[in-house]
Amino acid sequence: MNANIKKYNLLYEKERKKINAILHGTVKNRKPSSLYIPAAYIINSEGKRIRPFLVLLSAGAVGGNFSQAYNAAVAVELLHDFTLVHDDIMDNAEKRRGKLTLHKKYNKNTAILVGDSLLSVAYEYLLKDCNGYSKSIISSFTSGLIEVCEGQILDTDYEARKYVSLSEYLLMIKKKTASMVKMCCEIGATLGGGTEKEIKGIANYGLNIGIAFQVQDDLLDIIADENKFGKRIGSDLIEGKKTYLFIKALEKARGEDRKLLSKVVDNKGIGINQVKKYKELYERLGVIADARKTINYYTKKALNSLNVIKKISDKEILVWLADELLKRIR
Amino acid sequence: MNANIKKYNLLYEKERKKINAILHGTVKNRKPSSLYIPAAYIINSEGKRIRPFLVLLSAGAVGGNFSQAYNAAVAVELLHDFTLVHDDIMDNAEKRRGKLTLHKKYNKNTAILVGDSLLSVAYEYLLKDCNGYSKSIISSFTSGLIEVCEGQILDTDYEARKYVSLSEYLLMIKKKTASMVKMCCEIGATLGGGTEKEIKGIANYGLNIGIAFQVQDDLLDIIADENKFGKRIGSDLIEGKKTYLFIKALEKARGEDRKLLSKVVDNKGIGINQVKKYKELYERLGVIADARKTINYYTKKALNSLNVIKKISDKEILVWLADELLKRIR
């Protein structure tokens, strides 16, 4: 496997450039420019393009060609951009991918409409690739979209609540994050001509990688190296977010510890200078170890799902990608 | 024809009830309720359901059965509701269909998400009906959606501009209003199994009816009977909207008349007590007659497009519907 890592990295960089080029073309020369220049602003902002790359890899994993899935790959990235633009309005976020968010750069009305039209262009691109599979591809995509909307409202609901259970949290991240990763894999494997069993297996890989990735994101917020992570450590606590670690800690804590955690909810966050104290509490309660275990559990589940693919060389890159996405904590 | 009017009215009422029942079921029992109860609020509000009815009639006009198109009919109404919810946020509107707008009843974030999810459920319903025609149906629907977004931004752009030409105005209403009517007809005729020529003809009927309807709406704002119209007469002038009549008047006016019209733009509207003066100016400039002519022109174009349908009994109800929609000014 190690011998292939360089090859996989090069492939990722090559495909990322291709995806960026197609993405760039999606709204270029469209009119009115008052709609499509702001759309280009988010489309051309730097992103990792993991979702479209997963579409391509999933097509490849079932023996298909990447060329069967480029437009679909671009469609899932446009869908992702749509969610970013609308979520940023709802969260009143300032920055996205190192730039001003779209509604701050332009205005809220433009951002609402740009989101809507990114979604419409996403469907347009999806249709270009789905000859013969139209119904199942559009159906996967639409289900993913429905789940994302449901996940986003759950996230908002939970913010306003005092207590959220771990299973409620898992439902939310499944819908908000993992369902879209699943959908990318499902669409790619379908376009690549996979069997029903293969499509299901690869979709399951995506779902579980998505869950693991989100829990990792929660964990990194507290244990990452600030310079590498690019965000302030503890910002979830500062903002009073009900993350995996926080929910798990509240489940386990008793007495004074519990009171301390309840304060995060009651005061809608904590001060920067308190992060260290909470990190120590998390360590004492063992929730950092719990998070690691959970990430490993879902990662293993993801990799086991790939057993449906018999040829090792076909699936090895998906194993590598899981490792890449989750290696930050290992 | 006259003998059939009662029959058509009864049919419309019957189908409207059926459509309302299916619409009601689209989000019933879905979770989370924080998303779908607000969605039901707009879905179950009283609407004329003209768009879904047009889908059914278009299927019938090419010899198909209504039963082939109920889910698609519901999908276009959900798409319509999506545009209403997002447009109302952008316009900061207070009332819709006699009730508080969704973002006033709940809040803006919920309204953004409800809009998004109405659109996703629309695609879900569309897929139920489009066996065998998936690609062309989804493609029509998606094109309609793209046009609506473009039309909405043009409308916003025009608000901020001093001068808008008549052809720019026509482009905007084509995109914002008529393209969706066209799409309803196109989808219905496709699902009904129409030939390419029939689908094109019926789509063209929809497009032109849509244009005529929007110009009529502009005209009614100034000449309607306030009690029957349900809106304050002259509200477009009061709000400083660049309607068909206003743009046409500005094109024709010279000297003092022109200055008077420019004031509407400069002051972003007029006082209620000035409406009478502007109505007299419109009459003097002949733009009320111009609007009538334009409505008749597009209505005739619409009806001529129905020539592709040979059996008179199949298309008569579409002729009746055009008459119903446009009779208010005749």
Side-chain angles (χ1 to χ4, degrees):
Chain A
M1 170 105 180
N2 281 341
N4 285 325
I5 290 181
K6 203 180 162 190
K7 197 176 86 183
Y8 294 152
N9 268 308
L10 284 172
L11 181 73
Y12 167 59
E13 284 308 328
K14 191 179 117 192
E15 295 303 331
R16 197 159 82 112
K17 274 184 197 141
K18 274 198 203 175
I19 291 160
N20 280 339
I22 308 173
L23 273 171
H24 182 70
T26 54
V27 293
K28 204 185 155 197
N29 300 328
R30 283 195 201 230
K31 297 228 171 310
S33 54
S34 49
L35 183 63
Y36 293 115
I37 287 179
Y41 176 76
I42 177 79
I43 288 172
N44 296 327
S45 65
E46 277 302 312
K48 292 192 285 290
R49 317 300 186 208
I50 296 297
R51 289 164 192 79
F53 191 50
L54 263 173
V55 174
L56 300 179
L57 294 186
S58 302
V62 296
N65 289 317
F66 286 6
S67 63
Q68 296 168 284
Y70 279 111
N71 291 308
V74 160
V76 302
E77 187 69 10
L78 292 171
L79 173 64
H80 178 54
D81 286 345
F82 146 79
T83 65
L84 297 181
V85 172
H86 279 190
D87 286 5
D88 283 344
I89 304 172
M90 295 180 225
D91 299 342
N92 202 18
E94 285 279 339
K95 292 283 185 94
R96 168 67 66 186
R97 293 171 174 166
K99 303 201 296 185
L100 280 180
T101 49
L102 204 141
H103 69 277
K104 294 282 179 195
K105 170 88 177 173
Y106 297 92
N107 58 64
K108 282 190 188 181
N109 286 357
T110 300
I112 293 173
L113 259 177
V114 166
D116 295 344
S117 88
L118 288 171
L119 186 57
S120 62
V121 176
Y123 272 102
E124 188 190 289
Y125 270 73
L126 193 65
L127 277 168
K128 287 179 200 265
D129 267 352
C130 64
N131 279 311
Y133 302 109
S134 308
K135 195 155 183 175
S136 69
I137 295 287
I138 304 277
S139 184
S140 292
F141 193 80
T142 301
S143 298
L145 171 61
I146 290 177
E147 298 251 33
V148 166
C149 293
E150 292 176 356
Q152 174 67 11
I153 201 102
L154 285 180
D155 200 8
T156 313
D157 291 350
Y158 293 176
E159 257 175 52
R161 276 166 52 178
K162 278 226 157 206
Y163 177 75
V164 173
S165 74
L166 205 61
S167 66
E168 286 175 321
Y169 167 85
L170 284 171
L171 177 72
M172 186 273 284
I173 66 166
K174 257 186 205 171
K175 284 181 179 282
K176 189 173 168 172
T177 306
S179 68
M180 196 129 68
V181 185
K182 177 194 165 196
M183 181 260 279
C184 292
C185 295
E186 196 167 68
I187 287 178
T190 306
L191 287 173
T195 63
E196 210 173 305
K197 208 175 151 192
E198 285 172 332
I199 295 168
K200 218 174 157 185
I202 292 183
N204 223 19
Y205 159 86
L207 181 74
N208 287 294
I209 284 294
I211 298 172
F213 189 77
Q214 186 56 53
V215 177
Q216 178 186 249
D217 212 56
D218 289 359
L219 176 58
L220 282 174
D221 184 69
I222 204 78
I223 65 155
D225 177 337
E226 194 155 304
N227 297 322
K228 284 188 197 163
F229 190 48
K231 280 203 291 190
R232 176 188 294 284
I233 294 306
S235 55
D236 287 344
L237 277 165
I238 294 164
E239 291 169 28
K241 278 196 189 170
K242 298 183 188 75
T243 64
Y244 178 90
L245 290 98
F246 182 79
I247 293 167
K248 193 81 185 168
L250 200 62
E251 260 189 7
K252 291 176 128 180
R254 296 288 173 270
E256 285 306 311
D257 288 347
R258 201 176 166 83
K259 274 186 199 157
L260 201 64
L261 288 165
S262 297
K263 269 191 193 166
V264 180
V265 180
D266 295 342
N267 303 333
K268 290 174 181 163
I270 61 170
I272 295 171
N273 57 349
Q274 294 186 288
V275 171
K276 206 176 152 227
K277 184 170 67 182
Y278 280 91
K279 188 179 172 178
E280 281 162 11
L281 176 59
Y282 279 178
E283 271 161 1
R284 188 148 45 77
L285 292 168
V287 299
I288 288 174
D290 291 336
R292 279 187 212 274
K293 258 186 236 163
T294 301
I295 296 161
N296 282 329
Y297 169 78
Y298 285 104
T299 307
K300 262 189 199 143
K301 238 178 133 174
L303 298 178
N304 283 338
S305 303
L306 292 179
N307 288 340
V308 290
I309 296 165
K310 291 293 163 253
K311 238 170 98 187
I312 289 178
S313 63
D314 279 344
K315 65 180 164 186
E316 213 184 38
I317 192 163
L318 287 173
V319 177
W320 165 80
L321 189 70
D323 207 59
E324 273 298 297
L325 291 174
L326 300 166
K327 77 176 175 189
R328 294 185 292 176
I329 57 133
R330 288 200 262 179
Chain B
M1 171 107 181
N2 281 341
N4 285 325
I5 291 182
K6 203 179 161 190
K7 195 176 87 186
Y8 294 152
N9 268 309
L10 284 173
L11 181 72
Y12 167 60
E13 284 309 327
K14 190 179 118 195
E15 296 303 331
R16 198 158 81 113
K17 273 184 199 141
K18 275 198 201 173
I19 292 160
N20 280 338
I22 307 173
L23 274 170
H24 182 69
T26 54
V27 292
K28 204 185 156 194
N29 300 328
R30 285 196 199 229
K31 298 231 168 315
S33 54
S34 48
L35 183 62
Y36 293 115
I37 286 178
Y41 176 75
I42 177 79
I43 288 172
N44 296 328
S45 66
E46 277 301 311
K48 291 192 286 290
R49 317 301 187 208
I50 296 296
R51 289 164 191 79
F53 190 49
L54 263 173
V55 174
L56 301 179
L57 294 186
S58 300
V62 297
N65 289 318
F66 288 5
S67 63
Q68 295 167 286
Y70 279 111
N71 292 307
V74 159
V76 303
E77 187 70 9
L78 292 170
L79 173 63
H80 178 55
D81 286 345
F82 146 79
T83 65
L84 298 181
V85 171
H86 279 190
D87 287 5
D88 283 344
I89 304 172
M90 295 181 226
D91 299 342
N92 201 18
E94 285 280 339
K95 291 283 185 94
R96 167 69 65 187
R97 294 171 173 167
K99 303 200 295 183
L100 280 179
T101 50
L102 204 139
H103 69 278
K104 294 283 179 193
K105 170 89 179 172
Y106 298 91
N107 57 64
K108 281 190 188 182
N109 285 359
T110 300
I112 292 174
L113 259 178
V114 167
D116 296 345
S117 86
L118 289 171
L119 186 57
S120 62
V121 177
Y123 272 101
E124 188 189 289
Y125 269 74
L126 193 65
L127 278 168
K128 288 179 198 264
D129 267 351
C130 64
N131 279 311
Y133 301 110
S134 308
K135 195 157 183 174
S136 69
I137 295 287
I138 304 279
S139 183
S140 291
F141 192 81
T142 301
S143 299
L145 171 61
I146 290 177
E147 298 251 33
V148 167
C149 293
E150 292 176 356
Q152 174 67 10
I153 201 104
L154 285 179
D155 200 8
T156 314
D157 290 352
Y158 293 176
E159 257 176 51
R161 276 166 52 179
K162 278 227 156 204
Y163 177 76
V164 173
S165 74
L166 205 61
S167 66
E168 287 175 319
Y169 167 84
L170 285 170
L171 177 71
M172 184 273 283
I173 65 166
K174 257 185 206 172
K175 284 182 180 282
K176 189 172 168 173
T177 306
S179 68
M180 197 130 69
V181 186
K182 177 192 165 196
M183 181 260 277
C184 293
C185 295
E186 197 167 68
I187 287 178
T190 305
L191 288 173
T195 64
E196 209 173 304
K197 208 174 151 191
E198 285 173 332
I199 295 168
K200 218 173 156 185
I202 292 182
N204 224 18
Y205 159 87
L207 182 73
N208 288 293
I209 286 293
I211 298 172
F213 188 78
Q214 186 55 54
V215 177
Q216 177 186 250
D217 211 55
D218 289 359
L219 177 57
L220 282 174
D221 184 70
I222 204 77
I223 66 154
D225 177 338
E226 195 156 302
N227 297 323
K228 285 188 196 164
F229 190 46
K231 281 203 293 191
R232 178 187 293 283
I233 295 307
S235 55
D236 288 344
L237 277 164
I238 294 164
E239 292 169 27
K241 278 196 189 168
K242 298 183 189 76
T243 63
Y244 178 91
L245 289 97
F246 182 80
I247 292 167
K248 193 80 186 169
L250 200 63
E251 259 189 8
K252 290 176 126 179
R254 295 290 172 270
E256 285 306 311
D257 288 347
R258 201 175 167 82
K259 275 187 199 155
L260 201 63
L261 288 165
S262 297
K263 269 191 194 166
V264 181
V265 180
D266 295 341
N267 302 334
K268 291 175 180 161
I270 62 170
I272 296 171
N273 56 350
Q274 292 186 291
V275 171
K276 206 177 152 224
K277 184 168 69 183
Y278 280 91
K279 187 179 173 180
E280 281 162 11
L281 176 58
Y282 279 178
E283 270 163 0
R284 189 148 44 77
L285 291 168
V287 299
I288 289 173
D290 291 337
R292 280 187 211 273
K293 259 186 235 161
T294 301
I295 296 161
N296 283 328
Y297 169 79
Y298 285 104
T299 308
K300 264 191 196 140
K301 238 178 134 172
L303 297 179
N304 283 337
S305 304
L306 293 179
N307 288 340
V308 291
I309 296 164
K310 292 292 163 255
K311 237 169 97 187
I312 289 178
S313 62
D314 280 343
K315 65 180 164 187
E316 214 185 37
I317 192 163
L318 288 172
V319 177
W320 165 79
L321 188 70
D323 206 59
E324 274 297 298
L325 291 173
L326 300 165
K327 77 176 175 190
R328 295 185 292 176
I329 58 130
R330 287 200 263 175

